[in-house]
């Protein structure tokens, strides 16, 4: 669908270091994790097996599922034929694994431990290297606010924000290691709101807002939800059905 192409375009801008933050707001089950986490990270590891990635979410189930999905791609025989990447045999766990070339992926829940691992690389670049620079990895945040917390505007939202700015952003190995935040919005004090405040006026931040239906009534992905489906969902929510 056209929204997939839009997301991919912005991911290319991020990997060219044109963006420091890519914030994507999109409904659930619209491929945000598949595109911006599973495929983007797997491809990035293939393109640069020394790259380092950090994936964080609120759900331990989603964390484990995403990590396994990425690892399954990276360990597939065809992937090895394409990129020549292999994982270290002693580091093949669900929350941390590394390539033989030194790169890798660390996954965690938002209130879990992320110490001892950084995203990106500590490399000093000159002008020529900047021009031909290979992407070095980034931090991916995936629905780090639980929907109930956002909807109720409770204290967990503030706790998430403190973890982001006090802990997660310190995990960048270089000053320009980018950040991706993908989430469904359900409140006004979630991570997206905090990033809007932090990056206000910055041309290095992209806030990509993709509602399920546009203000003029056009569905974002008719194959998934057409206008009739969306109205039924909206009506069901109001009536308690």
């Amino acid at each position: 669908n056209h929204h997939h192409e839009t997301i991919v375009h912005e991911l290319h801008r991020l990997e060219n270091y044109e963006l420091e933050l890519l914030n994507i707001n999109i409904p659930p089950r619209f491929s945000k994790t598949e595109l911006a986490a599973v495929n983007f990270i797997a491809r990035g590891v293939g393109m640069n097996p020394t790259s380092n990635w950090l994936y964080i979410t609120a759900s331990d189930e989603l964390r484990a599922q995403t990590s396994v999905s990425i690892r399954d791609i990276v360990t597939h025989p065809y992937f090895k034929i394409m990129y020549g990447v292999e994982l270290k045999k002693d580091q093949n766990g669900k929350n941390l694994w590394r390539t033989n070339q030194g790169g890798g992926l660390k996954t965690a829940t938002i209130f879990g431990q992320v110490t001892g691992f950084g995203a990106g690389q500590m490399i000093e670049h000159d002008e020529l290297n900047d021009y031909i620079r290979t992407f070095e990895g980034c931090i991916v945040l995936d629905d780090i606010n639980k929907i109930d917390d956002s909807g109720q505007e409770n204290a967990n939202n503030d706790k998430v924000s403190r973890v982001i700015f006090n802990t997660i952003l310190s995990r960048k190995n270089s000053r320009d290691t980018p950040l991706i935040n993908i989430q469904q919005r359900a409140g006004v004090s979630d991570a997206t709101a905090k990033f809007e405040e932090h990056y206000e006026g910055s041309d290095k931040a992209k806030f990509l807002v993709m509602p399920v239906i546009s203000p003029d009534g056009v569905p974002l992905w008719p194959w998934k939800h057409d206008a009739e489906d969306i109205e039924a969902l909206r009506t069901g929510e109001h009536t308690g059905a």
Side-chain angles (χ1 to χ4, degrees):
N1 193 53
H2 67 86
H3 79 282
H4 297 126
E5 296 176 358
T6 300
I7 292 173
V8 169
H9 172 74
E10 298 300 336
L11 289 172
H12 280 310
R13 292 183 63 206
L14 183 101
E15 69 179 357
N16 288 329
Y17 293 96
E18 297 173 25
L19 297 175
E20 292 180 5
L21 169 71
L22 174 57
N23 194 98
I24 304 171
N25 299 131
I26 194 169
R29 310 306 302 164
F30 271 59
S31 313
K32 64 183 188 299
T33 299
E34 189 70 22
L35 278 176
V38 176
N39 286 288
F40 189 61
I41 293 174
R43 173 182 175 276
V45 170
M47 298 291 288
N48 181 8
T50 66
S51 59
N52 291 295
W53 304 77
L54 187 57
Y55 174 83
I56 301 173
T57 182
S59 165
D60 187 60
E61 183 178 357
L62 178 60
R63 178 207 61 78
Q65 177 184 325
T66 302
S67 179
V68 170
S69 296
I70 298 169
R71 190 181 61 187
D72 284 349
I73 295 173
V74 174
T75 57
H76 195 281
Y78 289 165
F79 192 89
K80 183 179 178 181
I81 292 171
M82 289 177 65
Y83 297 110
V85 175
E86 289 187 342
L87 300 188
K88 286 187 175 181
K89 298 187 184 303
D90 60 339
Q91 291 195 2
N92 200 27
K94 291 183 178 180
N95 61 351
L96 173 64
W97 49 259
R98 290 190 179 278
T99 67
N100 282 336
Q101 292 88 344
L105 170 69
K106 166 75 173 178
T107 66
T109 56
I110 183 62
F111 299 137
Q113 294 294 321
V114 294
T115 55
F117 190 93
Q121 293 179 279
M122 293 183 181
I123 300 175
E124 186 174 351
H125 297 280
D126 57 31
E127 187 174 345
L128 177 60
N129 283 333
D130 286 340
Y131 182 74
I132 60 174
R133 186 176 180 185
T134 304
F135 193 58
E136 298 160 6
C138 69
I139 299 171
V140 180
L141 308 180
D142 188 357
D143 280 335
I144 59 173
N145 295 102
K146 292 184 177 180
I147 295 300
D148 288 345
D149 293 337
S150 292
Q152 297 169 15
E153 297 294 323
N154 65 26
N156 277 340
N157 274 357
D158 292 333
K159 187 176 179 182
V160 167
S161 297
R162 289 196 299 271
V163 171
I164 290 172
F165 291 100
N166 295 339
T167 303
I168 293 175
L169 292 185
S170 69
R171 298 292 93 198
K172 301 199 302 183
N173 280 335
S174 65
R175 182 174 52 83
D176 60 355
T177 296
L179 179 74
I180 299 172
N181 182 52
I182 47 179
Q183 69 176 146
Q184 172 193 1
R185 300 207 69 181
V188 296
S189 64
D190 58 11
T192 293
K194 300 304 180 182
F195 284 131
E196 286 175 337
E197 295 175 8
H198 186 73
Y199 287 94
E200 184 177 5
S202 173
D203 61 357
K204 287 283 196 174
K206 173 69 176 184
F207 291 88
L208 190 60
V209 181
M210 295 181 161
V212 69
I213 191 166
S214 68
D216 54 356
V218 178
L220 176 61
W221 193 5
W223 177 85
K224 185 85 170 179
H225 291 301
D226 60 20
E228 186 177 342
D229 292 335
I230 296 167
E231 183 59 28
L233 288 169
R234 194 200 315 269
T235 304
E237 178 180 324
H238 290 312
T239 61

